[in-house]
Amino acid sequence: MLPDTHFHQFILPRLVQGRARLEAMIWRPMPEPLPVMRTQPTQAHRTLAEVAEAEFGPVAEIPLYWGGLFDQCWWRVRIPDGSTGKYLWWRDDGEATVYVDGVPVYGIDPGHLHAPLPAGVTELTIESLCARTGVWVEGGKQGLDASKGSHFQGAFLAERNEDAWHAWHDLDVLMNVMELLEKPEYLNQHGMWGRGGYRPELTEADPLLRRLIHRTNQALDALDAEGVAACRAVTAAIFKDFPAAPDAMKAILTGHAHIDLVWLWPERAGEFKAVHSFANALSMMERYPEVTFGYSQPASYEAVSRKSPALMERVGARIKEGRWEPTGAMYVESDVQLPCGEALVRAFELGQQGFRELQGRDSRCVWLPDVFGYSACMPTIMAGFGVPYFYTTKMHWSGATRFPYSSFRWVGMDGSEAVSHISWHNYNQRVNPRELKNAVFRHRQSHVHDEALFPCGYGDGGGGLNESMCERARRLSNLSSMPRAEWGTIEGYFDRLAELSDALPRWRGEMYLEYHRGVQTTNGPLKAAFRAAERALQVHEAVRCATGGGPIDQQPWKRVCFAQFHDYIPGSSIREVYEEHIPELEGIATDVMSRAQAELEATGSDDPGVSKACVFNPLPMPRREMIDGRLFELPPLTGLAITQAQPVEAEAVQVSGTAMSNGRVDARFTASGEIASLSVDGHAMALTAPGAQVLTFDDVPAIYEAWDVDRYSLSLGEHQTGPAEADVRTEDGVGRVSFTRHLSEIGQITVTYALEPGSAVLGIEIDLELKKTQCLIKLGFPTAYAGREARYGGPYGSVRRPQWSGPLANDAMFENPGSRWACVADDDEREGLMLITEAKYGFGAADGLLHVSLARSAKYTPVNAHGNTTELESGKSGDFCDLGHHHIKLAIGRFSAQAPRAEQPAALADLLYTPCVRYTGQPISAGLLSVDGPESLIPAWAVPEHAGGWTLRMHETLGSRGSLRVQLAEGRGSRGVDLRGEAALDADTDISPYQLRSVNIDAKP
């Protein structure tokens, strides 16, 4: 017999083979399938209670195919006596949730294949989803095999060899560590672990590598000589003999199941995934007492409560125990650039209400791992709700520059701060040695804080933790060369980090993600429907403030906040999501406006001599409104009898096929319908070429179509200059001139310029028929306003981004989010051009060229983007969004930071597009006379409160400061409050740059 070899490279292939041998020993399925019964698949998902009396028929033929994409099916499985300690092996392509005695206990998916059977169980109920979306499961089969449906091949019992299970995990973790200890030069085409070919000698190696090779080789000797139990004894001893260094970094593990509420699946499937993932989390916590689990999104908790109250009772018990951590602060994991500021506030309000219901207190951490950029107003809103912590991973996705910190203080534009942490890995970690090493190696503030937060568990498609992750965590809790893996809570991690906050760097302003820039534009009809719903809620709440009717029903707000989910409103979900939800949003807008109208009408009387024709201004700003061809001044939050409204004298609009003027705005047009010149109040706009240029681009992103606008696409545009047909008309005092152009295979566009008497802006209405796929349409305005930075609207406030090229980060900002407005100006911002939109969010500016994205016919995210087949789709035509008709409203005008409030872009974004309401009834008022302060301080929203009072929301938008005074009707009192309604600054006090202020106003005496 030869002595042991000292050339360790000869041993490595044996380890690979030994690991495979152990893995093959773990599971032993029973040969006979279990008897199964099932319901017919249905598109509508039913709860277990709803199928209690449903007809379950025997499954006579196996295998079988069942269902259409995202269908639900219920099954019953008989379990024979003597099955304690065994597992269910459910052989079906779809995902499934196992119920025992009416309670979900385990979720089966590509990352969770064997469900443990509780002692004494005699029957299982299975809820199945005809989809397979284990997006990130390594080696797991994804998608469905055929157009026939999910392929069911039977239910079987299986036994687990516990010694093989543990020995395999021991050896797998140790081999993973050895791979990290290798030198790159030791790797050839096949690697040192390959089965054949040359393997380089370990002439230089970490001593730990040599020791681990030697010891694991001894474990396989024991396997060959004495069996699996002996092998397990040797591998277990290795972990005791090689502990972590005393000063090893810590990876704080928190169980995680990032669930996309919609994405490659519709909402009903997202709710299934919530039940499925919650059941898995509880299963892991039961079998691994050290495990903690964190989950955000009260919308998911509500769905689970509806679908399985018994499951939520078990979740509640773990919450009380402190091992299940509800945290996130927001109702869903929202996009934070597309919603308006008040919609973000409501996402926090509803979210914190949900967290209080779950755990008796507010959440202290905003949890947004997967959002496409982070608005500068977020720290401000967080401070208003008393939320001190912020977490994400997404900033490491930037394509041009690296975000410089992992732990830092995020400072809002107003100076509000949040202790923040970015994990430099994704949010679907499997707890393997390489991931843990990356987590601590990329922790840039490790010299300040020796812990890195490590969310682990399969996400996006849900599923969460599995047994192997928990096993690896145990082995990595104290192993040489590795960080110490410790289970902990999210807020506990931040509490320790906050103690060191004085030593952390500061990042002020927005966090711009250099990626996924197309989401500001993708699916224009969706964004228009969403904005219409926001406006309708604004109007209805304003009516309640003026009538003293108290808060409106929360349900419309919940659905609008649900729509903020980061793969919903950005347009990055499958087509079916929008076929379901655009009509829902449109219905919300219609219903809410109808309710507002009815409540205004209810102020009237059956006596025709009492009721009057009135008009209601729902904005907390005075405005001018055209009514029956005449211009009137309307006070804020007031319904006036039209006969009592104050008329405004204004010069009539003059319009022809080449020019239009109202005495303030003078515009002249080219034969192709572009703006040859524009002046406002005698200030000639510094156009360097005709404005309102129609620019078209082939739009075929390299990777993610629905998400991305690529830089090279914007270099290949075409300026559409063909001849136009002009149409001139005047309607109710408003002058209009329309220019229609054919855009060859792209379609047709009509650009209508509209000018009202007394207006300081030129309205632009666009009717676009888009026929070409993978096409981006922009409207461009070349100007000489080439100051260093352009300004873009935010949900609250605004942000400045570079116009000048040069630094890499500047050139990475070629397509920018803007909350419905953007401006280019000289550096002093006394003179510039502003562009305001009704419901457009993608802008750009470079060297004075200001442009807005109108539509992009990107391909819908396909169901098979990460493994699902498209063959099961219903055969509906139209793989591309935005094809067809678009009606788009814009306006341009002179921008000056010194302009009156009513001519500030943030004010115009509401004044131009939030409608007044005509009604027959009585005059009403919320009691607001005026808001005195900087012109850039915009009164944005009126929020009805209980007992007839209301709250005025205001935000400073251009970085100015001054004194604030809210003028109220006699008998009305006011007090400053934060976003929770708790006492804050006095109502009348100084206002500072970018500050968000709330003032609570008493009910009418």
Side-chain angles (χ1 to χ4, degrees), residues 11 31 176 205 215 228 254 274 313 319-320 415 467 476 501 518 543 590 724 733 748 764 794 863 899 907 911 920 943:
I11 298 172
N176 289 164
R215 293 291 297 276
V228 178
T254 178
E313 287 185 16
I319 292 171
K320 290 179 181 178
E467 293 87 342
L476 291 166
S501 62
V543 169
T590 299
Q748 178 175 293
I764 305 175
V863 179
L911 290 168
T920 301
V943 184

Side-chain angles (χ1 to χ4, degrees), residues 88-111:
L88 173 70
W89 184 25
W90 183 255
R91 296 187 59 195
D92 183 38
D93 285 348
E95 299 175 10
T97 305
V98 180
Y99 288 67
V100 174
D101 296 331
V103 182
V105 297
Y106 198 85
I108 298 174
D109 56 45

Side-chain angles (χ1 to χ4, degrees), residues 520-539:
Q520 316 305 327
T521 305
T522 303
N523 204 324
L526 163 70
K527 292 171 171 61
F530 179 82
R531 180 60 194 148
E534 287 182 327
R535 283 196 307 269
L537 289 165
Q538 184 179 28
V539 171

Side-chain angles (χ1 to χ4, degrees), residues 27 86-90 98 105-108 112-118 124 287 467:
W27 293 105
K86 292 184 173 63
Y87 292 76
L88 173 70
W89 184 25
W90 183 255
V98 180
V105 297
Y106 198 85
I108 298 174
H112 305 79
L113 296 176
H114 300 90
L117 296 179
L124 302 175
R287 286 177 291 146
E467 293 87 342

Side-chain angles (χ1 to χ4, degrees), residues 233-256:
V234 177
T235 56
I238 296 174
F239 288 91
K240 295 179 180 178
D241 294 342
F242 294 95
D247 61 348
M249 286 281 294
K250 296 177 183 177
I252 304 302
L253 311 184
T254 178
H256 182 50

